[in-house]
Amino acid sequence: KSQPQNQLGPISHNNGAGGSGVLALCLSSRRNMCVHERVMRESDREAVDAACRSMTAPWALERARKARHNSGQGEGDGGNTASNNGNIETCPYFDGFQSAGEATSMPSGVYNLDELKKWGKSKSWCPYYLTRQAINHASVLVFNYQYMLDPKVAKMVSKELESESIIVFDEAHNIDSVCIEALSVTIHERHLEQATRSLGRLSSEVSRIKASDATRLQAEYQNLVNGLVDQGLLDAPPNEVGLASNILGTDILNEAVPGNIRRAEHFIAFMKKIVEHLKARLRTVAGPRGGVISETPLAFLHRMITTTSLEAKPLKFAYSRLSSLLRTLQVPNLDDYNALTDVADFASLVSTYS
C-alpha cells in the first residue's frame, strides 16, 4: 500500500532508530542511492560502482590519508577534493558518514529512496552506507530478492537480521528462478576470451607491483598462509560486496590457501589452465561432431583434473583467491574482471562435488 507523500520521511516526536518509533527503509543499488554530483552523471551501474569504489575502498582512503599527511593537511582539511590530495579524490558524503561514527542515527519514519537521499544529503552522509548501517535498527525493510537469496549479497546485507524476522515475498513464484540464477554460472567462448585478457592484465599488474611495492604481495602471501578467516575474506568491507564468496564450505574456512596458488604468479598460471581447458571443451561441443553434452558435475570435475593435472582442493579456493588478488592489486573497477570472476566461481562450484 502506498503512503501519501506527507507521511514519508522523519517523524520528529519520537526516539529515532533504535528507540520506540518505527523505522521503515528501502535499500537499492549505489546507482539509485548515490548523491555525489559527479558519480550521479555516470551512465550505468558498472560505472557508478567503479567510481564509488575508487573513492571509498580502504586502499583509496589510505592513499588519500597519506597524501594529506605528506602535504601537511589535517584529517579534516581538504579531504574531499582531488586537487588537495595529489589527485586522490574521496567522497565527501562517505567521509562524512565515517567521521560521524556512532552519531549516524536516523529519526523514525517511513523513507523511500528520495527521502533517504534527501536526509543523507542534508547531513552530508552517504545514503547508501547510511541505509546499510540503519537496516539493523529498522522495523520494516524493502529490498530486492537478491539481497535475501543470493549468497554473495545476503552475507553482506541480511546476515544481521534477527532470526524472528518475518519475510514477505512479493511475486513469490519467482523465488525458485532467483535461487537457480544465484548459484548458476553461464560461460560462453566470448567470456573465456575476456578472461584470458583479464589474466594478461593481472600478470602485468603483478609484475609492476613486484617492482614498485613488493611488500604488498608478500603481506598477502602471509595472510593466505593464515587462512581465510584470519585474512578477513569472509567479512569483506561493505563497499566490496563484489568480493564476497558464494559457496565456501565449513571444511575450508579455517584452512590456509593451498601453497601452489598462494603466490600471485602461480595463481594466474593456475587460472590460465582452467580457462584453456574450458576453451577446449567448448571447441569440442562446437565442432562437426559436437552438440549438446550433459555431464554430472563429478564427471566434469574428473575430466578437468585428469586433463589439466590440477588438484581438486585448490579449485575450492579459486574464487576467494581471485578476490584476494583483486583487493591486493587495488582494482577499482571489478566489473572489468566479471568474466574471470565467473570462471573462478564456476571452478569453486564444481569443486564442491569432489
Side-chain angles (χ1 to χ4, degrees), residues 59-127:
W59 52 264
L61 299 177
E62 179 62 18
R63 284 182 181 178
R65 187 194 66 77
K66 289 181 178 179
R68 285 196 298 270
H69 176 77
N70 293 337
S71 63
Q73 298 176 7
E75 287 299 315
D77 299 333
N80 57 15
T81 59
S83 58
N84 288 336
N85 279 335
N87 292 325
I88 300 174
E89 182 183 11
T90 60
C91 175
Y93 299 102
F94 184 77
D95 292 344
F97 169 76
Q98 283 203 315
S99 298
E102 295 183 358
T104 53
S105 61
M106 296 180 66
S108 296
V110 180
Y111 296 80
N112 62 14
L113 287 179
D114 290 337
E115 287 294 333
L116 284 169
K117 292 167 70 172
K118 184 188 300 182
W119 171 256
K121 195 167 186 177
S122 70
K123 305 288 288 186
S124 294
W125 297 342
C126 171

Coordinates of all heavy atoms in Angstrom, one line a residue, residues 59-127:
W59 N 41.9 1.0 0.4 CA 43.2 1.4 -0.2 C 43.1 2.8 -0.7 O 44.1 3.6 -0.6 CB 43.6 0.4 -1.3 CG 42.7 0.2 -2.3 CD1 41.8 -0.9 -2.4 CD2 42.4 1.0 -3.5 NE1 41.0 -0.8 -3.6 CE2 41.4 0.3 -4.3 CE3 43.0 2.2 -4.0 CZ2 40.9 0.9 -5.5 CZ3 42.5 2.7 -5.2 CH2 41.5 2.0 -5.9
A60 N 42.0 3.3 -1.2 CA 41.8 4.6 -1.7 C 41.8 5.6 -0.5 O 42.5 6.7 -0.6 CB 40.5 4.8 -2.5
L61 N 41.2 5.3 0.5 CA 41.2 6.1 1.7 C 42.6 6.2 2.3 O 43.0 7.3 2.8 CB 40.2 5.6 2.8 CG 38.7 5.5 2.3 CD1 37.9 4.9 3.4 CD2 38.2 6.9 1.9
E62 N 43.3 5.1 2.3 CA 44.7 5.1 2.9 C 45.6 6.0 2.0 O 46.4 6.8 2.5 CB 45.2 3.7 2.9 CG 46.6 3.6 3.5 CD 46.8 4.1 4.9 OE1 45.8 4.2 5.6 OE2 47.9 4.4 5.3
R63 N 45.4 5.9 0.7 CA 46.2 6.8 -0.2 C 45.9 8.3 0.1 O 46.8 9.1 0.1 CB 45.9 6.5 -1.7 CG 46.5 5.2 -2.2 CD 46.2 5.0 -3.7 NE 46.7 3.8 -4.2 CZ 46.5 3.4 -5.5 NH1 45.8 4.2 -6.3 NH2 47.1 2.3 -5.9
A64 N 44.6 8.6 0.2 CA 44.3 10.0 0.5 C 44.8 10.4 1.8 O 45.3 11.6 2.0 CB 42.7 10.1 0.5
R65 N 44.8 9.6 2.8 CA 45.3 9.9 4.2 C 46.8 10.2 4.1 O 47.3 11.2 4.6 CB 45.1 8.8 5.2 CG 45.4 9.1 6.6 CD 45.5 7.9 7.5 NE 46.6 7.0 7.1 CZ 47.8 7.2 7.4 NH1 48.2 8.2 8.1 NH2 48.7 6.3 7.0
K66 N 47.5 9.4 3.4 CA 49.0 9.6 3.2 C 49.3 10.9 2.4 O 50.2 11.6 2.7 CB 49.6 8.4 2.5 CG 49.7 7.1 3.4 CD 50.3 6.0 2.6 CE 50.4 4.8 3.5 NZ 51.1 3.6 2.8
A67 N 48.4 11.1 1.4 CA 48.6 12.4 0.6 C 48.4 13.6 1.5 O 49.1 14.6 1.4 CB 47.6 12.4 -0.6
R68 N 47.3 13.6 2.4 CA 47.1 14.7 3.3 C 48.3 14.9 4.2 O 48.7 16.0 4.5 CB 45.8 14.4 4.0 CG 44.5 14.7 3.3 CD 43.3 14.8 4.2 NE 43.1 13.6 5.0 CZ 42.3 12.6 4.6 NH1 41.7 12.6 3.4 NH2 42.2 11.5 5.3
H69 N 48.8 13.7 4.7 CA 49.9 13.8 5.7 C 51.1 14.4 5.0 O 51.8 15.3 5.6 CB 50.2 12.4 6.2 CG 51.4 12.3 7.1 ND1 51.4 12.8 8.4 CD2 52.7 11.9 6.9 CE1 52.6 12.6 9.0 NE2 53.4 12.1 8.0
N70 N 51.4 13.9 3.8 CA 52.6 14.4 3.1 C 52.5 15.9 2.7 O 53.5 16.6 2.6 CB 52.8 13.6 1.8 CG 53.2 12.2 2.1 OD1 53.7 11.9 3.2 ND2 53.0 11.3 1.2
S71 N 51.2 16.4 2.5 CA 51.0 17.8 2.2 C 50.8 18.7 3.4 O 50.7 19.9 3.2 CB 49.8 17.9 1.2 OG 48.6 17.5 1.9
G72 N 50.9 18.0 4.6 CA 50.8 18.8 5.8 C 49.4 19.2 6.2 O 49.1 20.0 7.1
Q73 N 48.3 18.5 5.6 CA 47.0 18.8 5.9 C 46.5 17.9 7.1 O 47.0 16.8 7.2 CB 46.0 18.6 4.7 CG 46.3 19.5 3.5 CD 45.4 19.1 2.4 OE1 44.5 18.3 2.5 NE2 45.6 19.7 1.2
G74 N 45.6 18.3 7.8 CA 45.0 17.5 8.8 C 44.0 16.6 8.3 O 43.6 16.6 7.1
E75 N 43.4 15.7 9.1 CA 42.5 14.7 8.7 C 41.2 15.3 8.1 O 40.6 14.8 7.3 CB 42.1 13.8 9.8 CG 43.2 12.8 10.2 CD 43.6 11.9 9.0 OE1 42.7 11.4 8.4 OE2 44.8 11.7 8.8
G76 N 40.9 16.5 8.6 CA 39.6 17.1 8.1 C 39.8 18.2 7.1 O 38.9 18.9 6.8
D77 N 41.1 18.4 6.6 CA 41.3 19.5 5.7 C 41.4 19.0 4.3 O 42.3 18.3 3.9 CB 42.7 20.1 6.1 CG 42.7 20.7 7.5 OD1 41.6 21.1 8.0 OD2 43.8 20.8 8.1
G78 N 40.4 19.5 3.5 CA 40.5 19.2 2.1 C 40.4 17.8 1.7 O 40.9 17.4 0.7
G79 N 39.8 16.9 2.6 CA 39.8 15.5 2.3 C 38.9 15.1 1.2 O 39.0 14.0 0.7
N80 N 38.1 16.0 0.6 CA 37.2 15.5 -0.4 C 37.5 16.2 -1.8 O 36.7 16.1 -2.7 CB 35.7 15.8 0.0 CG 35.5 17.3 0.3 OD1 36.3 18.1 -0.1 ND2 34.4 17.6 0.9
T81 N 38.6 16.8 -1.9 CA 39.0 17.4 -3.2 C 40.2 16.7 -3.8 O 41.2 16.5 -3.1 CB 39.2 18.9 -3.0 OG1 40.3 19.1 -2.1 CG2 38.0 19.6 -2.5
A82 N 40.1 16.4 -5.0 CA 41.3 15.8 -5.7 C 42.5 16.6 -5.7 O 43.6 16.2 -5.5 CB 40.9 15.4 -7.1
S83 N 42.3 17.9 -5.9 CA 43.5 18.8 -6.0 C 44.3 18.9 -4.8 O 45.5 19.0 -4.8 CB 43.0 20.2 -6.4 OG 42.1 20.7 -5.5
N84 N 43.6 18.8 -3.6 CA 44.3 18.9 -2.3 C 44.9 17.5 -1.9 O 45.6 17.5 -0.9 CB 43.4 19.4 -1.2 CG 43.0 20.9 -1.4 OD1 43.8 21.6 -2.0 ND2 41.9 21.3 -0.9
N85 N 44.6 16.5 -2.6 CA 45.1 15.2 -2.2 C 46.0 14.5 -3.2 O 46.0 13.3 -3.4 CB 43.9 14.2 -1.9 CG 43.2 14.4 -0.6 OD1 43.9 14.9 0.3 ND2 42.0 14.1 -0.5
G86 N 46.7 15.3 -4.0 CA 47.5 14.8 -5.0 C 46.7 14.0 -6.0 O 47.2 12.9 -6.4
N87 N 45.6 14.5 -6.5 CA 44.7 13.9 -7.4 C 44.1 12.6 -6.9 O 43.7 11.8 -7.7 CB 45.5 13.6 -8.7 CG 45.8 14.9 -9.5 OD1 45.1 15.8 -9.5 ND2 47.0 14.9 -10.1
I88 N 44.0 12.4 -5.6 CA 43.3 11.3 -5.0 C 42.0 11.8 -4.4 O 42.0 12.5 -3.4 CB 44.2 10.7 -3.9 CG1 45.5 10.2 -4.5 CG2 43.4 9.5 -3.2 CD1 46.5 9.6 -3.4
E89 N 40.9 11.5 -5.1 CA 39.6 12.0 -4.7 C 38.9 11.0 -3.8 O 38.9 9.8 -4.1 CB 38.8 12.3 -6.0 CG 37.4 12.9 -5.6 CD 36.6 13.0 -6.9 OE1 36.9 12.5 -7.9 OE2 35.5 13.7 -6.8
T90 N 38.3 11.5 -2.7 CA 37.5 10.7 -1.9 C 36.1 11.4 -1.9 O 35.9 12.5 -2.3 CB 38.0 10.7 -0.4 OG1 38.1 12.0 0.1 CG2 39.4 10.0 -0.4
C91 N 35.1 10.6 -1.4 CA 33.7 11.1 -1.5 C 33.4 11.8 -0.2 O 33.5 11.3 0.9 CB 32.8 9.9 -1.6 SG 31.0 10.3 -1.5
P92 N 33.0 13.1 -0.3 CA 32.7 13.9 0.9 C 31.5 13.3 1.7 O 31.5 13.4 3.0 CB 32.3 15.2 0.4 CG 31.9 15.0 -1.0 CD 32.7 13.9 -1.5
Y93 N 30.6 12.6 1.1 CA 29.5 12.0 1.8 C 29.9 10.7 2.5 O 29.4 10.5 3.6 CB 28.3 11.7 0.8 CG 27.8 13.0 0.1 CD1 28.2 13.3 -1.2 CD2 27.0 13.8 0.8 CE1 27.7 14.4 -1.8 CE2 26.5 15.0 0.2 CZ 26.9 15.3 -1.1 OH 26.5 16.4 -1.7
F94 N 30.8 9.9 1.9 CA 31.3 8.8 2.6 C 32.2 9.2 3.8 O 32.2 8.6 4.9 CB 32.0 7.8 1.7 CG 32.5 6.6 2.3 CD1 31.6 5.5 2.5 CD2 33.8 6.4 2.6 CE1 32.1 4.3 3.1 CE2 34.3 5.2 3.2 CZ 33.4 4.2 3.4
D95 N 33.0 10.2 3.5 CA 33.9 10.7 4.6 C 33.1 11.2 5.7 O 33.4 11.0 6.9 CB 34.8 11.8 4.0 CG 35.8 11.4 3.0 OD1 36.0 10.1 2.9 OD2 36.3 12.2 2.2
G96 N 32.0 12.0 5.4 CA 31.1 12.5 6.5 C 30.5 11.4 7.3 O 30.3 11.5 8.5
F97 N 30.0 10.3 6.6 CA 29.4 9.2 7.2 C 30.4 8.5 8.2 O 30.0 8.2 9.3 CB 28.9 8.2 6.1 CG 28.5 6.9 6.7 CD1 27.3 6.7 7.3 CD2 29.3 5.8 6.5 CE1 26.9 5.5 7.8 CE2 28.9 4.5 7.0 CZ 27.7 4.4 7.7
Q98 N 31.6 8.3 7.7 CA 32.6 7.7 8.6 C 33.0 8.5 9.7 O 33.2 8.0 10.9 CB 33.9 7.3 7.7 CG 33.7 6.1 6.8 CD 35.1 5.5 6.5 OE1 36.0 6.2 6.2 NE2 35.2 4.2 6.6
S99 N 33.1 9.8 9.5 CA 33.5 10.8 10.6 C 32.4 10.8 11.7 O 32.7 11.0 12.9 CB 33.8 12.2 10.0 OG 34.8 12.2 9.1
A100 N 31.2 10.7 11.3 CA 30.1 10.8 12.3 C 30.1 9.6 13.2 O 29.7 9.7 14.4 CB 28.7 10.9 11.6
G101 N 30.5 8.4 12.7 CA 30.6 7.3 13.6 C 29.3 6.9 14.1 O 28.3 6.7 13.4
E102 N 29.2 6.7 15.5 CA 28.0 6.3 16.1 C 26.9 7.3 16.1 O 25.8 7.0 16.4 CB 28.3 5.9 17.6 CG 29.2 4.7 17.7 CD 29.5 4.3 19.2 OE1 28.9 5.0 20.0 OE2 30.2 3.3 19.4
A103 N 27.2 8.5 15.7 CA 26.2 9.6 15.6 C 25.3 9.4 14.4 O 24.4 10.2 14.3 CB 26.9 10.9 15.6
T104 N 25.6 8.5 13.5 CA 24.8 8.3 12.3 C 23.5 7.6 12.6 O 23.2 6.5 12.0 CB 25.6 7.6 11.2 OG1 26.1 6.3 11.8 CG2 26.7 8.4 10.7
S105 N 22.7 8.1 13.5 CA 21.3 7.6 13.7 C 20.3 8.3 12.9 O 20.5 9.4 12.4 CB 21.0 7.6 15.2 OG 20.9 9.0 15.6
M106 N 19.2 7.7 12.6 CA 18.1 8.2 11.8 C 16.8 8.4 12.7 O 16.5 7.5 13.5 CB 17.8 7.4 10.6 CG 19.0 7.2 9.6 SD 18.5 6.2 8.3 CE 17.2 7.2 7.5
P107 N 16.1 9.5 12.5 CA 14.8 9.6 13.1 C 13.9 8.5 12.6 O 14.0 8.1 11.5 CB 14.3 11.0 12.7 CG 15.5 11.7 12.2 CD 16.4 10.7 11.7
S108 N 13.0 8.1 13.4 CA 12.0 7.1 13.0 C 11.1 7.7 11.9 O 11.0 8.9 11.8 CB 11.1 6.7 14.1 OG 11.8 6.0 15.1
G109 N 10.6 6.9 11.0 CA 9.7 7.4 9.9 C 9.7 6.3 8.8 O 10.3 5.3 8.9
V110 N 9.1 6.7 7.7 CA 9.0 5.8 6.5 C 9.7 6.5 5.4 O 9.4 7.7 5.0 CB 7.5 5.6 6.1 CG1 7.4 4.7 4.9 CG2 6.7 5.0 7.3
Y111 N 10.8 5.9 4.9 CA 11.7 6.5 4.0 C 11.6 5.8 2.6 O 11.9 4.6 2.6 CB 13.1 6.5 4.5 CG 13.4 7.3 5.7 CD1 13.1 6.8 7.0 CD2 14.0 8.6 5.6 CE1 13.4 7.5 8.1 CE2 14.3 9.3 6.8 CZ 14.0 8.8 8.0 OH 14.3 9.5 9.1
N112 N 11.3 6.4 1.6 CA 11.5 5.9 0.2 C 12.9 6.3 -0.2 O 13.7 7.0 0.5 CB 10.4 6.2 -0.7 CG 10.4 7.8 -1.0 OD1 11.3 8.5 -0.6 ND2 9.3 8.2 -1.6
L113 N 13.3 6.0 -1.4 CA 14.6 6.3 -1.9 C 14.9 7.8 -1.9 O 16.0 8.3 -1.5 CB 14.9 5.7 -3.3 CG 15.1 4.2 -3.4 CD1 15.3 3.8 -4.8 CD2 16.3 3.8 -2.5
D114 N 13.9 8.6 -2.4 CA 14.1 10.0 -2.5 C 14.3 10.6 -1.1 O 15.1 11.5 -0.9 CB 12.9 10.7 -3.2 CG 12.8 10.3 -4.6 OD1 13.9 10.0 -5.2 OD2 11.7 10.4 -5.2
E115 N 13.5 10.1 -0.1 CA 13.6 10.7 1.3 C 15.0 10.3 1.9 O 15.6 11.1 2.6 CB 12.5 10.1 2.1 CG 11.1 10.8 1.8 CD 11.1 12.3 2.2 OE1 11.9 12.7 3.1 OE2 10.4 13.0 1.6
L116 N 15.4 9.1 1.6 CA 16.7 8.6 2.1 C 17.9 9.5 1.5 O 18.8 9.9 2.2 CB 17.0 7.2 1.7 CG 16.3 6.1 2.6 CD1 16.4 4.8 1.9 CD2 16.8 6.1 4.0
K117 N 17.8 9.8 0.2 CA 18.8 10.6 -0.4 C 18.7 12.1 0.2 O 19.7 12.7 0.4 CB 18.6 10.6 -1.9 CG 18.9 9.3 -2.5 CD 18.4 9.2 -4.0 CE 19.2 10.0 -4.9 NZ 18.9 9.8 -6.3
K118 N 17.5 12.6 0.4 CA 17.3 13.9 0.9 C 17.9 14.0 2.3 O 18.6 15.0 2.7 CB 15.9 14.3 0.9 CG 15.6 15.7 1.3 CD 14.1 16.0 1.5 CE 13.4 15.7 0.2 NZ 11.9 16.0 0.3
W119 N 17.6 13.0 3.1 CA 18.1 13.0 4.5 C 19.6 12.9 4.6 O 20.3 13.6 5.3 CB 17.4 11.9 5.3 CG 18.0 11.7 6.7 CD1 18.8 10.7 7.1 CD2 17.8 12.5 7.8 NE1 19.2 10.8 8.4 CE2 18.5 11.9 8.9 CE3 17.0 13.6 8.1 CZ2 18.6 12.5 10.2 CZ3 17.1 14.2 9.4 CH2 17.8 13.6 10.4
G120 N 20.1 11.9 3.8 CA 21.6 11.8 3.8 C 22.3 13.0 3.3 O 23.3 13.4 3.9
K121 N 21.8 13.6 2.3 CA 22.5 14.8 1.7 C 22.4 16.0 2.7 O 23.4 16.7 2.8 CB 21.9 15.2 0.4 CG 22.7 16.2 -0.4 CD 22.2 16.3 -1.8 CE 23.1 17.1 -2.7 NZ 22.7 17.2 -4.1
S122 N 21.3 16.1 3.4 CA 21.2 17.2 4.4 C 22.2 17.0 5.5 O 22.6 18.0 6.1 CB 19.8 17.2 5.0 OG 19.6 16.1 5.8
K123 N 22.6 15.8 5.8 CA 23.6 15.5 6.9 C 25.0 15.4 6.3 O 26.0 15.1 7.1 CB 23.2 14.3 7.7 CG 21.8 14.3 8.2 CD 21.7 15.2 9.4 CE 22.3 14.7 10.6 NZ 22.1 15.6 11.8
S124 N 25.2 15.4 5.0 CA 26.5 15.1 4.4 C 26.9 13.7 4.6 O 28.1 13.5 4.8 CB 27.5 16.1 4.8 OG 27.2 17.4 4.3
W125 N 25.9 12.8 4.7 CA 26.2 11.4 4.9 C 25.8 10.6 3.6 O 24.8 10.9 3.0 CB 25.5 10.8 6.1 CG 25.8 11.4 7.4 CD1 27.0 12.1 7.7 CD2 25.1 11.3 8.6 NE1 26.9 12.5 9.0 CE2 25.8 12.0 9.6 CE3 23.8 10.8 8.9 CZ2 25.3 12.2 10.9 CZ3 23.4 10.9 10.2 CH2 24.1 11.6 11.2
C126 N 26.5 9.6 3.3 CA 26.2 8.8 2.1 C 24.9 8.0 2.4 O 24.9 7.2 3.3 CB 27.3 7.8 1.8 SG 26.9 6.6 0.5
P127 N 23.8 8.2 1.6 CA 22.6 7.5 1.8 C 22.7 5.9 1.7 O 22.1 5.2 2.5 CB 21.6 8.0 0.8 CG 22.2 9.3 0.3 CD 23.7 9.1 0.5

